[in-house]
Amino acid sequence: MQTTLRGVGVSHGVAIGEVRHMGTAVLEPPAKQIPTEEAGREQGRARQAVEAVAADLIARGNLAGGEAQGVLEAQAMMAQDPELISDVERRIAVGSTAERAVYDAFASYRALLAGAGEYLAGRVADLDDVRNRIVARLLGVPMPGVPDSDEPYVLIARDLAPADTALLDPTLVLGFVTEEGGPTSHSAILARQLGVPAVVALPGAGDLAEGTMVAVDGSTGEVFIEPSAEKRAELAKSAEARRAALAASSGPGATSDGHKVPLLANVGGPADVPAALEAGAEGVGLFRTEFLFLDDSKQAPSEEKQIAVYRQVLEAFPEGRVVVRVLDAGADKPLDFLTPADEPNPALGVRGLRSLLDHPDVLRTQLTALSKAAEGLPVYLEVMAPMVADRTDAKAFADACREAGLNAKFGAMVEIPSAALRARSVLQEVEFLSLGTNDLAQYTFAADRQVGAVSRWQDPWQPALLDLVAMAAESAGAEGKSCGVCGEAAADPLLACVLTGLGVTSLSMGAASIPYVRATLAKYSLAQCERAAAAARAADTAEQARAAAQGVLSGE
């Protein structure tokens, strides 16, 4: 009998196949003592294992490219963290084996992060993966991971580490389902990059028996257990219709009656540009420059290095629009030279623009590098600040841009509810707004974007979140300025129509989502989008909002 489970759909498409489970976690090493004279040898073993794991993560990142490369390089840095290595060596010096010292040192650091209110939950998952890889190497056992199979399958896991997700083979892994994670977790972002259907935050997924036939709908978040022949045919027909629509869709983003909605790409650096161009991106709506800074958490990259990287991206979009977000550090992206190490609640502390205003030399160097990178290019450069709270923040950023001689539009990201509520005030200082719906949801609902247990409040269909989007878009319209969306909400084709109906003027997303959004927008008029938006805002829950919008657009 067919049973339906529902999680959070994070990557479009349908996958039908048998369940295969991720390998189990590394066992806890035994706690045994070693003689003092063996400490030096054990410390050497630990250092060798750390370096080998870091090298493997970097190699995996080089193979994967794109956003995955930045994520895996950050994990490699985590493995080589001097404080962690010092703790490991200290534990060995007092009698622990190398594997036990690594296990305990990482456990201690993990507890430290958890004690900070779980605001670094995404980092905790990555930390666990690094620990497991080092311990497995020291024990001489294979690292548990993606199962070996000659036949395609649907992967089930508690969570997927970036190192596993980045190198999934889409010809074998038809799709995946995880018990934990959220729409903005690393595994979700990388799944979209790979184009693999995925559902996360599905409690009980691990209870599915090996070999069970399932159908995974990465758009709706539904997982059908032992689907009937009729359900399989229905899903296959829907997937084929979607593929046909994608193949027929090309050109600039627009509604069926010609209302233009530029479709832009989110990129982390030059490695993401080819996929964006292939998908037909009309420019870049979010250039995440923090990946460049994560190469070395001890110091900012030189002006020359920044110029070279920025220019590669700018050159790829001649006469296109490229929106650069200046360094967004803090919370789950700490940098030793920039962010405080002892904040009790980092996501509500000194992050984003606040960090940059505390370190004006870092901001000045980045703005100067952007200015020099754009010299002589016909690109339309726009630069925006993360975590703008009010007009004072917006003015401080605009002043810094002018002082650096930046010939570009200055904008503000709307990620804090206060910026949406007072958008007209903010727009007195800047020329455009860009809504980061991931953080905006986090702060609106007091729901950490990395914690699966609160993922329902991270759903971008929440009517309260749509109200804030509408307020920002209406304010921008009244001021004759633009208001885009660059958060994950823009990647949902149905929600893209609603955002258009709310008055959003551009949509930016991962390259893999652009064809889906383009094809869906082209099916509906602006008036239909506006009616769908009104219906969604009139609902009380995210589920009701989606259903109401779907009903309007399907003519029900």
Side-chain angles (χ1 to χ4, degrees):
M1 180 178 176
Q2 177 182 300
T3 303
T4 304
L5 305 177
R6 184 181 290 275
V8 179
V10 296
S11 184
H12 304 301
V14 172
I16 302 175
E18 292 187 355
V19 162
R20 294 286 183 274
H21 284 270
M22 195 78 170
T24 55
V26 174
L27 295 176
E28 180 179 346
K32 63 180 183 181
Q33 292 288 301
I34 60 169
T36 304
E37 59 268 22
E38 292 184 14
R41 181 178 66 84
E42 288 295 288
Q43 289 172 341
R45 287 181 64 226
R47 285 193 294 271
Q48 288 175 2
V50 165
E51 291 305 317
V53 167
D56 178 62
L57 289 168
I58 290 171
R60 285 169 176 259
N62 290 335
L63 283 173
E67 291 189 62
Q69 185 170 7
V71 171
L72 293 176
E73 287 176 352
Q75 269 197 294
M77 288 170 52
M78 189 182 290
Q80 297 169 303
D81 183 273
E83 291 185 18
L84 267 172
I85 293 173
S86 294
D87 191 15
V88 169
E89 293 184 341
R90 181 187 61 78
R91 291 171 187 273
I92 293 173
V94 295
S96 282
T97 61
E99 47 267 37
R100 186 69 206 191
V102 168
Y103 187 90
D104 289 341
F106 273 75
S108 176
Y109 190 44
R110 190 186 198 283
L112 203 67
L113 297 185
E118 288 289 345
Y119 276 92
L120 297 181
R123 282 276 176 173
V124 165
D126 293 354
L127 189 73
D128 288 346
D129 181 58
V130 172
R131 176 204 63 202
N132 288 347
R133 291 177 186 280
I134 298 172
V135 170
R137 182 169 288 273
L138 287 165
L139 290 174
V141 300
M143 175 64 195
V146 179
D148 290 328
S149 176
D150 296 328
E151 298 296 325
Y153 58 91
V154 172
L155 181 62
I156 306 292
R158 182 180 63 82
D159 202 355
L160 280 174
D164 293 315
T165 314
L167 296 182
L168 290 179
D169 182 352
T171 64
L172 283 177
V173 181
L174 302 172
F176 69 76
V177 180
T178 65
E179 292 193 71
E180 299 182 1
T184 60
S185 64
H186 285 152
S187 55
I189 291 170
L190 297 180
R192 286 189 285 273
Q193 179 178 313
L194 289 167
V196 176
V199 172
V200 301
L202 181 67
D207 297 333
L208 292 171
E210 191 86 359
T212 302
M213 180 63 69
V214 296
V216 178
D217 190 328
S219 299
T220 65
E222 293 173 304
V223 176
F224 304 94
I225 315 302
E226 299 293 355
S228 64
E230 291 78 11
K231 173 55 72 174
R232 289 196 217 179
E234 176 190 328
L235 290 170
K237 183 178 179 181
S238 173
E240 181 55 41
R242 190 178 293 132
R243 281 192 292 270
L246 292 178
S249 174
S250 62
T255 58
S256 62
D257 55 343
H259 175 73
K260 294 186 182 301
V261 187
L263 302 181
L264 312 171
N266 294 343
V267 304
D272 294 338
V273 167
L277 293 172
E278 184 179 350
E282 298 168 60
V284 172
L286 174 61
F287 181 179
R288 300 184 180 98
T289 59
E290 59 267 22
F291 287 120
L292 175 60
F293 286 77
L294 289 171
D295 284 349
D296 184 352
S297 69
K298 302 298 182 185
Q299 61 183 2
S302 67
E303 181 181 305
E304 291 71 24
K305 182 176 181 179
Q306 292 188 54
I307 291 170
V309 172
Y310 301 152
R311 194 168 179 90
Q312 286 184 66
V313 175
L314 296 175
E315 286 177 334
F317 295 93
E319 300 186 11
R321 178 186 178 199
V322 175
V323 184
V324 179
R325 178 176 70 191
V326 294
L327 176 60
D328 184 16
D332 62 340
K333 292 169 288 193
L335 293 171
D336 294 344
F337 67 88
L338 195 70
T339 50
D342 56 353
E343 286 188 305
N345 198 336
L348 298 180
V350 181
R351 60 168 296 197
L353 180 61
R354 297 168 185 174
S355 294
L356 293 175
L357 294 178
D358 280 352
H359 297 80
D361 54 324
V362 175
L363 177 58
R364 187 182 309 111
T365 299
Q366 184 172 25
L367 294 174
T368 301
L370 284 165
S371 180
K372 292 180 179 178
E375 284 178 0
L377 297 179
V379 67
Y380 295 96
L381 176 62
E382 301 185 10
V383 182
M384 61 186 182
M387 304 303 293
V388 170
D390 56 17
R391 182 173 179 174
T392 300
D393 279 352
K395 184 179 187 305
F397 178 65
D399 287 346
C401 289
R402 294 188 190 97
E403 289 169 11
L406 188 62
N407 182 24
K409 283 188 175 182
F410 319 141
M413 289 199 71
V414 177
E415 301 164 284
I416 302 173
S418 61
L421 293 167
R422 300 286 295 171
R424 289 197 74 166
S425 174
V426 170
L427 284 163
Q428 303 310 303
E429 305 295 342
V430 293
E431 298 172 82
F432 69 93
L433 301 177
S434 183
L435 288 132
T437 52
N438 310 336
D439 269 321
L440 186 58
Q442 171 173 256
Y443 294 124
T444 298
F445 299 104
D448 192 322
R449 54 187 285 188
Q450 297 287 355
V451 177
V454 295
S455 62
R456 85 170 181 87
W457 290 285
Q458 269 292 325
D459 191 327
W461 281 94
Q462 288 283 357
L465 188 66
L466 298 181
D467 287 344
L468 290 173
V469 173
M471 292 180 73
E474 288 166 6
S475 295
E479 294 293 330
K481 297 180 179 179
S482 62
C483 177
V485 168
C486 63
E488 292 304 314
D492 180 335
L494 182 62
L495 187 50
C497 295
V498 167
L499 295 172
T500 299
L502 292 175
V504 166
T505 55
S506 66
L507 299 166
S508 189
M509 64 210 74
S513 298
I514 291 176
Y516 291 93
V517 173
R518 182 193 294 118
T520 304
L521 267 178
K523 293 164 57 178
Y524 306 109
S525 67
L526 177 59
Q528 287 176 298
C529 293
E530 289 171 341
R531 289 196 295 273
R537 289 183 68 190
D540 291 320
T541 68
E543 294 77 11
Q544 291 171 2
R546 172 181 275 277
Q550 182 68 69
V552 169
L553 294 177
S554 62
E556 295 176 2

